[in-house]
Amino acid sequence: MKKENKENEVRLMKGNEAIAHAAIRCGCDGYFGYPITPQSEILETLMEVEPWHTTGMVVLQAESETASINMVYGAAGCGKKAMTSSSSPGVSLMQEGISYMAGAELPCVVVNVMRGGPGLGTIQPSQADYFQTVKGGGHGDYKVITLAPASVQEMADFVGKAFDLAFKYRTPTFILADGVIGQMMEKVVLPPFKPRWTEEEIIAVAPWATLGKPAHRKPNVINSLRLEAWEMEELNLVLQGRYREIEKNEVLFEEINCEDANYILVAFGISARICQKTSELARAEGLKVGLIRPITLYPFPTEQIKKRAEQVKGMLSVELSAGQMVEDVRLAVNGKIPVEFYGRMGGIVPTPDEVLQALKDKLISKN
Amino acid sequence: MAKFKGAIVVDTEKCKGCDLCVVACPTTVLALSTEANSKGYNFSHMANSEDCVGCSACANVCPDACITVYRVKL
Amino acid sequence: MNVADIINPANLVYKKNTVMNEVPMHYCPGCSHGVVHKIIGEIIEEMGVQEKTIAIAPVGCAVFAYKYLDVDWQQAAHGRAPALATAIKRLLPDRLVFTYQGDGDLAAIGTAETIHACNRGENIAIIFINNGIYGMTGGQMAPTTLAGMKTSTTPNGRDVPLAGNPLNITDLLAKLDGVCYVTRQAVHTVAGVKKAKRAIQHAFENSMQNKGTSIVEVVSTCNAGWKMTPADANDWMVENMFPVFPMGDLKNE
């Protein structure tokens, strides 16, 4: 068993390793996962640290992603802080379970360290699961809160945050990272240790949890089945009400160099890191280019993008995909200014210069 | 050998008239009623209560747990 | 002594257990599910473990099991009950955790989850209702449908070269080291009900004692799916199902 580090100590590690350490530290009760590149370090780190000896956290390598997400369902149904992680093809396999958890109003954290697709695709980084994640990858009307980290520090910070949001709204919550953020090493300060919830604490936070029925209460049933149409609509209305609350309360974004900008790049994850450099390069040439980095992809920073559309001449959505988030940017801007897209696919990560050239070609030269 | 006398009470509203208790009864006490309950099932009843020995065979095989059994030693 | 005199609380010898509630069950008249639900309720009551029980309902006819037995339930996606049970029992090792699954749930769509939970020796009990047909969806072929047996997707009888052989999954599970108890029972007679009850109780005790995985297969009837009366279905089961799925213990360690 490796010794855990002291509070506030700066350490160097991969994004995936940060997820694992943060999970232990935020009082996670159970991790269930199946190996897949580029995120296997999460399970590997947990197995090396052996948190079951310290916090009592259960870690299990399941037989598939299908089993993993359903183990998460079982644990979450008991009011436990449960999580899994995978990469794109594996997350596709989890969609059934995620839809069931949305329907059964179960909190959990799912980490997707995206790789290129479709199909078995590539192990190289990608952001092409944006649609799958924020538009609902499984069946039925549901949404999942989606946090998009852009640094190893955010990988560490978002685990606890994701659990808080998941329990606040009783919904699956995603950390949507890309292969670069998962694999790259950066300095990170891990969050302080929080003890796991006791059963009394679980009952207080999650009175719906199936911990065994005491004589004084009715049975708790974790379930997404509503055979009567009116009951099914009722559940949907509850969920939709919750999504409106999430949209009102939980939007997170970062703005860099936007105050005086004439053009704005919109990007998340590793693309935002590239675009930050693009903004600096542009400003060195006298071009006032800013960056909006959505931190929550759902809920999307629609209002802020709409506000900035009053000020700038155009926006460029930069993604490791064929253009997915750009649709939400366009919806936010609603035709007020041109919104263009630049992206690379299949695991290719563009350079800051390449993005600047695209901005010039697609927007600046047209004005 | 001790002799027993028994009687059963059928929750006639829950009985679905599946007939399994009738088949299971070793003393041919039970039969399905010609009357139907509110769901339209011909519920089970003691057609020949004299022969009931309170053995609980009917209750054991009843899929709807709608039979209660009483027994006295004579 | 007349009937009115006998019907007296002092003479009570059999009544419905208290874990089973008053909700009328949706099962077809004569369905084996009801009997198995009833004996599970009796066992939980007799073992005094109602407060410690977490049960997992399948997809299939027994999807609504949570309506009838007053314990905490989780309803699983089709076939995934053993995965849920795995996590629940690992996080709450002092609880009684059991799954209740049909043949489609356990032996078709959930085969991987079943085999791996058993192979890991999860300390859970699996109640496996095998009636050789998909009841809920209208009588289609199950993995355990007998050769030649007619279902709505094998209207001329299960043709083995086309549809494969009936899967004897319980035999397969008995070979796994993680499994401590495997038995095959039926609830078509009083003796059968009593033996099945002892078997399920043993499986529940194994879960509480963390001895490994227990599987109780209950060879059952689906008289509606088989298109016969409940009594005829029992006879048909004895004559046709028992030779392929013979009664008795396969493993008891």
Side-chain angles (χ1 to χ4, degrees):
Chain A
M1 191 173 66
K2 263 197 179 171
K3 228 178 142 215
E4 280 289 279
N5 69 324
K6 298 187 287 281
E7 305 262 307
N8 297 324
E9 185 189 347
V10 179
R11 291 177 64 179
L12 181 72
M13 63 174 71
K14 284 187 174 191
N16 289 335
E17 292 167 339
I19 291 270
H21 288 290
I24 299 165
R25 283 163 173 260
C26 75
C28 178
D29 295 297
Y31 170 95
F32 307 91
Y34 187 80
I36 182 171
T37 308
Q39 63 77 54
S40 296
E41 293 86 357
I42 300 176
L43 176 58
E44 287 168 354
T45 304
L46 288 167
M47 286 300 186
E48 199 186 339
V49 176
E50 301 183 336
W52 50 93
H53 292 305
T54 49
T55 71
M57 177 182 174
V58 168
V59 185
L60 185 62
Q61 179 170 338
E63 63 270 29
S64 66
E65 288 87 353
T66 306
S68 304
I69 193 69
N70 283 284
M71 288 173 183
V72 170
Y73 181 115
C78 298
K80 300 285 184 177
K81 286 185 181 173
M83 68 182 288
T84 185
S85 65
S86 189
S87 181
S88 310
V91 177
S92 292
L93 208 43
M94 289 183 184
Q95 293 302 329
E96 173 200 48
I98 293 162
S99 170
Y100 272 67
M101 293 188 81
E105 304 169 79
L106 288 180
C108 72
V109 174
V110 180
V111 181
N112 180 1
V113 183
M114 291 179 281
R115 58 189 251 183
L120 194 52
T122 171
I123 59 171
Q124 305 298 327
S126 169
Q127 296 179 320
D129 301 348
Y130 178 92
F131 279 155
Q132 185 192 54
T133 315
V134 308
K135 306 295 180 191
H139 58 284
D141 275 320
Y142 74 92
K143 295 279 191 183
V144 292
I145 299 174
T146 307
L147 298 167
S151 63
V152 173
Q153 186 62 54
E154 283 189 340
M155 288 288 253
D157 294 344
F158 285 180
V159 180
K161 181 167 191 56
F163 273 119
D164 290 347
L165 290 167
F167 275 85
K168 184 174 175 188
Y169 296 101
R170 289 184 65 179
T171 178
T173 298
F174 263 69
I175 296 176
L176 189 67
D178 48 71
V180 183
I181 302 295
Q183 289 296 324
M184 73 182 185
M185 294 185 89
E186 283 187 321
K187 59 186 182 183
V188 57
V189 177
L190 294 172
F193 276 101
K194 267 185 9 192
R196 291 171 56 224
W197 284 335
T198 62
E199 283 193 24
E200 289 70 31
E201 286 169 322
I202 290 174
I203 291 165
V205 174
W208 42 263
T210 56
L211 292 163
K213 186 201 96 66
H216 64 79
R217 73 153 164 84
K218 289 197 159 88
N220 281 342
V221 178
I222 302 297
N223 184 19
S224 61
L225 177 68
R226 304 285 189 282
L227 224 47
E228 298 290 342
W230 67 269
E231 284 182 323
M232 192 69 240
E233 187 177 53
E234 206 167 66
L235 171 64
N236 269 285
L237 289 170
V238 168
L239 296 178
Q240 291 302 318
R242 224 170 262 161
Y243 301 148
R244 296 301 88 76
E245 284 296 303
I246 291 167
E247 288 156 12
K248 200 170 79 188
N249 302 330
E250 308 299 345
V251 176
L252 288 174
F253 59 88
E254 183 186 17
E255 286 191 325
I256 296 169
N257 298 333
C258 282
E259 284 312 313
D260 62 345
N262 294 325
Y263 294 94
I264 281 181
L265 304 166
V266 187
F268 67 96
I270 189 59
S271 300
R273 297 279 290 264
I274 295 161
C275 287
Q276 189 176 346
K277 187 69 187 171
T278 303
S279 162
E280 288 166 20
L281 294 176
R283 282 178 182 267
E285 291 182 20
L287 297 166
K288 289 178 179 171
V289 175
L291 166 68
I292 296 178
R293 174 170 78 94
I295 295 172
T296 52
L297 299 180
Y298 177 79
F300 194 68
T302 304
E303 286 306 314
Q304 189 60 22
I305 290 172
K306 190 175 158 191
K307 202 181 111 195
R308 290 292 177 199
E310 303 286 340
Q311 163 198 330
V312 302
K313 294 178 187 164
M315 292 192 187
L316 183 73
S317 185
V318 181
E319 308 167 47
L320 305 188
S321 74
Q324 300 190 9
M325 182 178 71
V326 62
E327 292 190 5
D328 286 331
V329 179
R330 285 190 177 127
L331 282 170
V333 166
N334 201 17
K336 190 140 194 93
I337 51 166
V339 176
E340 296 295 339
F341 168 75
Y342 184 71
R344 298 296 299 267
M345 292 168 282
I348 294 172
V349 181
T351 63
D353 295 305
E354 200 178 330
V355 174
L356 181 56
Q357 193 57 49
L359 178 67
K360 288 176 181 168
D361 294 346
K362 288 170 184 267
L363 283 166
I364 298 174
S365 66
K366 304 242 164 103
N367 259 307
Chain B
M1 200 175 105
K3 285 190 79 175
F4 292 96
K5 186 144 175 49
I8 66 161
V9 176
V10 177
D11 184 340
T12 53
E13 269 308 303
K14 280 214 183 121
C15 177
K16 295 172 185 158
C18 73
D19 204 40
L20 289 178
C21 58
V22 177
V23 175
C25 178
T27 55
T28 332
V29 170
L30 301 177
L32 295 187
S33 165
T34 49
E35 255 181 277
N37 65 18
S38 68
K39 295 201 174 90
Y41 292 121
N42 298 106
F43 50 82
S44 170
H45 75 131
M46 287 198 290
N48 169 28
S49 62
E50 276 306 299
D51 289 346
C52 179
V53 292
C55 72
S56 300
C58 52
N60 270 291
V61 300
C62 174
D64 290 284
C66 56
I67 298 176
T68 310
V69 185
Y70 300 88
R71 182 183 223 187
V72 287
K73 200 168 167 184
L74 295 175
Chain C
M1 187 174 262
N2 63 30
V3 168
D5 294 328
I6 301 167
I7 297 171
N8 176 319
N11 302 329
L12 182 73
V13 288
Y14 190 103
K15 72 174 173 69
K16 187 172 70 112
N17 67 83
T18 56
V19 174
M20 187 169 240
N21 59 37
E22 292 302 315
V23 178
M25 288 186 278
H26 72 288
Y27 300 114
C28 304
C31 176
S32 306
H33 276 306
V35 184
V36 181
H37 283 20
K38 185 177 65 180
I39 59 183
I40 288 173
E42 288 173 5
I43 295 161
I44 290 171
E45 180 180 271
E46 287 159 18
M47 286 175 71
V49 290
Q50 193 172 9
E51 294 195 18
K52 287 203 170 286
T53 302
I54 301 161
I56 297 109
V59 168
C61 284
V63 64
F64 289 123
Y66 57 80
K67 289 187 178 179
Y68 312 129
L69 293 169
D70 280 346
V71 294
D72 279 357
W73 282 93
Q74 292 196 25
Q75 198 282 309
H78 202 15
R80 318 298 176 216
L84 272 64
T86 294
I88 296 168
K89 184 65 181 178
R90 282 183 181 237
L91 283 157
L92 300 164
D94 66 333
R95 303 306 206 276
L96 165 63
V97 179
F98 74 89
T99 69
Y100 187 106
Q101 302 175 259
D103 38 39
D105 196 87
L106 180 138
I109 196 166
T111 313
E113 285 77 11
T114 302
I115 287 181
H116 285 280
C118 289
N119 194 50
R120 289 189 300 262
E122 302 295 345
N123 296 309
I124 59 172
I126 295 175
I127 313 301
F128 168 35
I129 307 296
N130 174 11
N131 56 17
I133 203 160
Y134 283 35
M136 188 64 137
T137 44
Q140 296 86 1
M141 182 184 75
T144 53
T145 294
L146 304 179
M149 185 173 163
K150 286 185 178 177
T151 72
S152 64
T153 51
T154 56
N156 299 312
R158 182 174 188 157
D159 174 19
V160 168
L162 177 72
N165 291 287
L167 176 58
N168 195 327
I169 189 133
T170 309
D171 277 7
L172 222 122
L173 296 175
K175 292 190 169 65
L176 303 175
D177 289 339
V179 171
C180 63
Y181 178 50
V182 184
T183 188
R184 206 181 278 116
Q185 303 288 332
V187 292
H188 59 309
T189 61
V190 178
V193 171
K194 289 184 171 166
K195 279 173 75 179
K197 184 176 166 183
R198 280 197 295 276
I200 294 173
Q201 175 155 359
H202 186 49
F204 283 6
E205 285 162 357
N206 286 342
S207 170
M208 291 300 279
Q209 292 161 16
N210 293 333
K211 285 177 74 175
T213 315
S214 299
I215 299 119
V216 180
E217 174 178 348
V218 184
V219 179
S220 300
T221 61
C222 175
N223 56 76
W226 296 357
K227 304 190 194 319
M228 39 185 106
T229 67
D232 287 350
N234 274 341
D235 294 342
W236 193 90
M237 172 176 76
V238 172
E239 201 177 311
N240 298 282
M241 298 277 283
F242 284 12
V244 182
F245 304 109
M247 294 295 102
D249 289 356
L250 285 83
K251 190 177 195 177
N252 191 0
E253 287 173 351

